[in-house]
Amino acid sequence: MPEHPVDLDLRLVHCFTVVAEHQHFGRAADALHVTQPSLSRQIRRLEQQLGARLLDRTPQGSRLTEAGEVFLPQAKALLRTAAQTIARTRAAAQPSRLAVGYAGGLIVTPAVREMRHRHPDADVQTLHVAFDDVSASLLEHRVDVVVSRLPFATEGLHVTVLFDQPRVVILPLDHRLAGKESVSINDIADEPLPRIRDSDPAWSAYWRIEPRPDGRPAPDGPVIEALEDKFELVAAGQAVAISAGHDVRLLRPDLTSVVLEDVEPAHVVLATRADDRSRLVAAFRKYAQTHLTGR
C-alpha cells in the first residue's frame, strides 16, 4: 500500500536550519524573533513529524544528531525549492514584463501608454515584428502580444479583431488610375504585382487577391526580398501593389493609393498565446480594444 504523505511544515524546517546554523537555541530564538520555549516546541513538533530526533542540547548550546546531519542539507534544499516555486508561481500570476509586438504601418502607442500609466511597475517593451514572423514570435515567447494584420497562422493563438482597414492599390503618381476615389479588381486585372520570395502561400494569395473572380492568377511582377522593396518597384512603374489603409504619401511623395472597392477589408488583430493567462496580457487586450480602433 502507498505510504501516506508526511505533513511537513516548512516554517518548522526553517526554524531547524536557523538552530543548526547558530548551534544555540537562545541565539536562534533571537534571530527568529521568538521566545526560546516557543522555538523548542517548534523543533519538537518537527521531530514528531519526521519521527526522528534532530538536535541534542549540550552545555555549550546544541548539536546535530546523526539524523539531523542527514536532514540539514535536505532541509536547505527543500526551502530553496519552495522559495523558487513560490517566486515562479507569483511571476506567472503577476508578470512584471510585457513585450508588445507590432507590424509595419500599425500604431500601438495609445495602448502602450495606457499600459504604462496603469501598471507603472511593469516593464512594457515594444518590438517591430515582420509580417511573416507573427506566429513564431509569440509561440517562441519573444513577444507576449502582437498587433498585426491577418492572414497569419493562428494555431495555438488567441486572436481578437480590433478594427478593419480598406485594402488599397498603391500607384505611381502618373498612373492612369491615380486620383480616382476607388478602383475595382477589373481595373487592375492586367497590372503586374510584386512577388515576395519564399512568402507564405496563403499570405501571398490574400495580398495578390488570387484567384481573381474570373479564376485567373494575378499577373506576376518582379520578385522582391522584402515587403518594403515594393515601393521602389511601384514608383519605377514596374508594378502596382496592394496594401492596407495607410496613406502611402506619408512614406513616399511620388506614390499614391486608391481604395480597392470590391474586396473585403484587412483585419487588424491582437494576437496572444492561447494558453496565456497573464494579467498584463489581459490588461493590454482591454486597452487595445479601447484605444486601437483605427480612428
Side-chain angles (χ1 to χ4, degrees), residues 62-80:
S62 64
R63 66 183 179 189
L64 294 171
T65 65
E66 186 174 347
E69 294 280 2
V70 171
F71 183 62
L72 180 59
Q74 303 297 325
K76 291 179 177 179
L78 182 63
L79 293 172
R80 282 196 303 271

Side-chain angles (χ1 to χ4, degrees), residues 177-254:
L177 299 174
K180 288 184 173 291
E181 290 187 7
S182 64
V183 296
S184 69
I185 289 294
N186 288 334
D187 291 327
I188 62 168
D190 298 320
E191 298 283 352
L193 295 173
R195 293 172 294 144
I196 297 181
R197 191 185 306 277
D198 299 326
S199 62
D200 175 68
W203 185 92
S204 180
Y206 180 83
W207 288 108
R208 288 165 57 86
I209 312 179
E210 293 179 316
R212 299 293 172 83
D214 60 6
R216 293 190 302 164
D220 282 337
V223 176
I224 58 178
E225 299 291 338
L227 198 60
E228 291 72 18
D229 295 334
K230 68 184 180 184
F231 297 125
E232 184 61 35
L233 288 177
V234 173
Q238 293 181 273
V240 302
I242 297 174
S243 187
H246 58 271
D247 187 350
V248 73
R249 289 172 298 181
L250 298 176
L251 301 175
R252 291 192 57 144
D254 55 351

Side-chain angles (χ1 to χ4, degrees), residues 13-24 27-29 31-32 39:
V13 175
H14 174 62
C15 290
F16 162 74
T17 61
V18 175
V19 175
E21 177 186 354
H22 287 86
Q23 298 181 358
H24 193 280
R27 291 194 293 270
L32 291 166
L39 179 58

Side-chain angles (χ1 to χ4, degrees), residues 134-141 143-146 157 271-273:
V134 174
S135 298
S137 67
L138 283 165
L139 297 177
E140 294 172 5
H141 289 249
V143 294
D144 302 301
V145 301
V146 176
L157 304 181
T272 64
R273 290 179 289 276

Side-chain angles (χ1 to χ4, degrees), residues 81-191:
T81 299
Q84 292 170 356
T85 299
I86 292 169
R88 289 172 181 170
T89 302
R90 287 175 176 171
Q94 297 183 339
S96 59
R97 177 181 179 273
L98 183 77
V100 179
Y102 61 94
L106 296 175
I107 296 173
V108 296
T109 309
V112 170
R113 184 182 291 121
E114 181 79 357
M115 190 77 199
R116 288 172 175 157
H117 173 69
R118 292 183 177 270
H119 301 268
D121 295 333
D123 177 16
V124 183
Q125 303 175 0
T126 56
L127 179 70
H128 177 263
V129 175
F131 72 94
D132 57 354
D133 194 35
V134 174
S135 298
S137 67
L138 283 165
L139 297 177
E140 294 172 5
H141 289 249
R142 285 182 275 126
V143 294
D144 302 301
V145 301
V146 176
V147 176
S148 185
R149 300 178 186 88
L150 291 174
F152 53 81
T154 58
E155 183 177 357
L157 304 181
H158 179 277
V159 176
T160 303
V161 176
L162 298 175
F163 60 92
D164 289 342
Q165 290 181 323
R167 279 189 276 181
V168 299
V169 182
I170 300 176
L171 306 165
L173 289 179
D174 59 356
H175 193 278
R176 61 185 175 85
L177 299 174
K180 288 184 173 291
E181 290 187 7
S182 64
V183 296
S184 69
I185 289 294
N186 288 334
D187 291 327
I188 62 168
D190 298 320
E191 298 283 352

